[in-house]
Amino acid sequence: MKTTEVTLWVNGDRHHIDVEPRDSLADTLRDDLALTGTNLACEHGVCGSCTVLVDGRAVRSCLLLTVQCAGRSIRTVEGLADDGGLHPLQAAFAAEHGLQCGFCTPGFLMLFAGALEEDPMLDHDERRLEETLASNLCRCTGYVNIRRAVLRAARELRGEATPGE
Ligand code: FES
Ligand code: FES
């Protein structure tokens, strides 16, 4: 099939790659750029495992064509922490045991990275917090510890202490 050259900015790096018009962003990230932290499960927009940030907004990368992302800024879980350590969300998921098998975790991390950058007080809006949690699927944890991790990360990002620590 005929390919098209696109330029993508991924985690701050510029990539010129040839893609087919039908290639999804998820496939391009995983297969062409070897960024396999973005997981694929349902491949039709239901589970959120493939969530990445495009121009700062959380998107399901299985539903987006790579050609639609030309020139746009993409952030994957590999680019979440910028100093070689853990992003506060990653540290909070570890501290609160917010993962079991871990398959859904990159998607949840990127979902809440985008949500908390857009609204640092998200954890104070119960309805939006629940809606955001419900938008991705986890088959293991029961969501309680994921929720606790998000609350901890939100406080950490605002420079607030975690109660009891
Ligand atoms: S793999 Fe994209 S939403 Fe499930
Ligand atoms: S930790 Fe296993 S699917 Fe979420």
Side-chain angles (χ1 to χ4, degrees):
M1 185 175 284
K2 190 171 180 293
T3 60
T4 307
E5 186 184 74
V6 294
T7 300
L8 301 178
W9 288 90
V10 183
N11 300 331
D13 296 327
R14 186 170 57 182
H15 298 271
H16 299 293
I17 48 175
D18 291 318
V19 298
E20 294 184 8
R22 66 181 178 183
D23 287 347
S24 72
L25 177 60
D27 285 334
T28 297
L29 292 171
R30 291 178 56 83
D31 299 340
D32 296 314
L33 302 181
L35 294 171
T36 54
T38 299
N39 285 329
L40 271 172
C42 71
E43 299 193 53
H44 59 268
V46 174
C47 71
S49 302
C50 62
T51 303
V52 301
L53 301 184
V54 175
D55 292 338
R57 302 208 62 184
V59 300
R60 280 124 131 103
S61 61
C62 69
L63 293 184
L64 205 58
L65 296 172
T66 303
V67 291
Q68 294 176 284
C69 300
R72 299 172 76 179
S73 174
I74 296 150
R75 200 156 148 223
T76 70
V77 71
E78 290 88 348
L80 184 56
D82 55 12
D83 59 359
L86 293 179
H87 183 278
L89 272 164
Q90 292 170 310
F93 268 67
E96 299 290 354
H97 306 287
L99 63 150
Q100 289 183 24
C101 79
F103 190 88
C104 68
T105 310
F108 272 103
L109 291 171
M110 299 317 292
L111 173 70
F112 277 100
L116 289 171
E117 283 172 17
E118 184 182 322
D119 178 6
M121 302 297 285
L122 175 70
D123 53 321
H124 288 234
D125 184 336
E126 190 67 24
R127 188 181 59 81
R128 279 199 58 220
L129 175 63
E130 294 300 325
E131 283 176 356
T132 309
L133 278 166
S135 68
N136 280 20
L137 295 180
C138 173
R139 293 171 191 269
C140 303
T141 64
Y143 292 84
V144 173
N145 288 0
I146 293 176
R147 189 178 192 283
R148 289 169 58 92
V150 170
L151 297 181
R152 175 188 278 258
R155 288 191 299 267
E156 171 75 18
L157 286 162
R158 291 194 298 266
E160 298 172 7
T162 291
E165 293 193 356

